[in-house]
Amino acid sequence: MSEESRRGPVGVREAGPEDSEFLVDMLLEAFNWRGEERFTRKQILKDKSTSLYVAGWQRAGDIGVIAVDLAGPSGLQIPIGAAWLRQFPARNPGYGFVAEDVPELSMAVVPHQRGRGIGTGLVRSLMTKARDQGIRRISLSVEDGNPALRLYSSLGFTEVGRNGDATTMVATLDSSTQVVGK
């Protein structure tokens, strides 16, 4: 069975330090969401404005979840997507920075697994974990034209600003918020 045709059951697990290389892969997918190679792995890791999303994973305060294909060969759980939160200082902000106490969301799913609701499941799971850890708001940046904008809007993210050709969005998480989408 080819990788492109495998669409087995999906599970979600917490991300740990051992997932740092996969998070780099997912960051590369997020930056190259159009399907063309605008960035290389080397560029992302060398540039301080992009490497900050993954450098030194998993530091205090980092929260992440990994989607895994449960139908891997010999029972292997093959990572197919990730969503993670990271806080940044004002002196070294991410693209979707709104405040030092508001972690920024990064998320991607491997191309051949997109369109199955995996991204929605990852973000919902991560929002619940964040809320359970006392985080009240999370932010993100989504480039103009990225179809993920619909996903984020459906999960309660609202536009709070612009950064170049991207929209900065924030979702509020509180005890009355159900992370189920609209």
Side-chain angles (χ1 to χ4, degrees), residues 102-135:
V102 178
E104 188 174 337
L105 168 71
S106 300
M107 189 273 297
V109 174
V110 297
H112 69 275
Q113 294 285 352
R114 292 179 187 157
R116 299 181 60 200
I118 295 168
T120 301
L122 282 168
V123 176
R124 283 182 178 159
S125 178
L126 190 60
M127 290 172 82
T128 298
K129 284 186 172 306
R131 184 187 63 215
D132 291 350
Q133 291 187 27
I135 295 171

Side-chain angles (χ1 to χ4, degrees), residues 26-152:
M26 292 297 89
L27 186 62
L28 188 60
E29 287 294 337
F31 277 103
N32 292 328
W33 63 268
R34 290 185 181 116
E36 59 196 49
E37 186 179 0
R38 297 185 304 159
F39 299 89
T40 65
R41 184 182 189 89
K42 184 177 179 180
Q43 286 171 318
I44 282 179
L45 292 174
K46 189 175 179 181
D47 186 323
K48 290 181 182 181
S49 68
T50 53
S51 66
L52 58 83
Y53 290 95
V54 292
W57 178 267
Q58 180 175 34
R59 65 185 190 201
D62 289 349
I63 305 170
V65 290
I66 305 291
V68 293
D69 178 347
L70 297 173
S74 303
L76 290 176
Q77 296 185 4
I78 300 168
I80 57 173
W84 65 101
L85 294 174
R86 184 164 253 197
Q87 290 177 279
F88 302 112
R91 71 184 186 292
N92 190 24
Y95 290 106
F97 181 84
V98 295
E100 289 187 351
D101 65 340
V102 178
E104 188 174 337
L105 168 71
S106 300
M107 189 273 297
V109 174
V110 297
H112 69 275
Q113 294 285 352
R114 292 179 187 157
R116 299 181 60 200
I118 295 168
T120 301
L122 282 168
V123 176
R124 283 182 178 159
S125 178
L126 190 60
M127 290 172 82
T128 298
K129 284 186 172 306
R131 184 187 63 215
D132 291 350
Q133 291 187 27
I135 295 171
R136 302 207 18 93
R137 296 185 306 154
I138 59 176
S139 69
L140 61 84
S141 176
V142 60
E143 283 184 295
D144 295 343
N146 189 328
L149 177 63
R150 288 187 303 279
L151 162 68
Y152 300 135

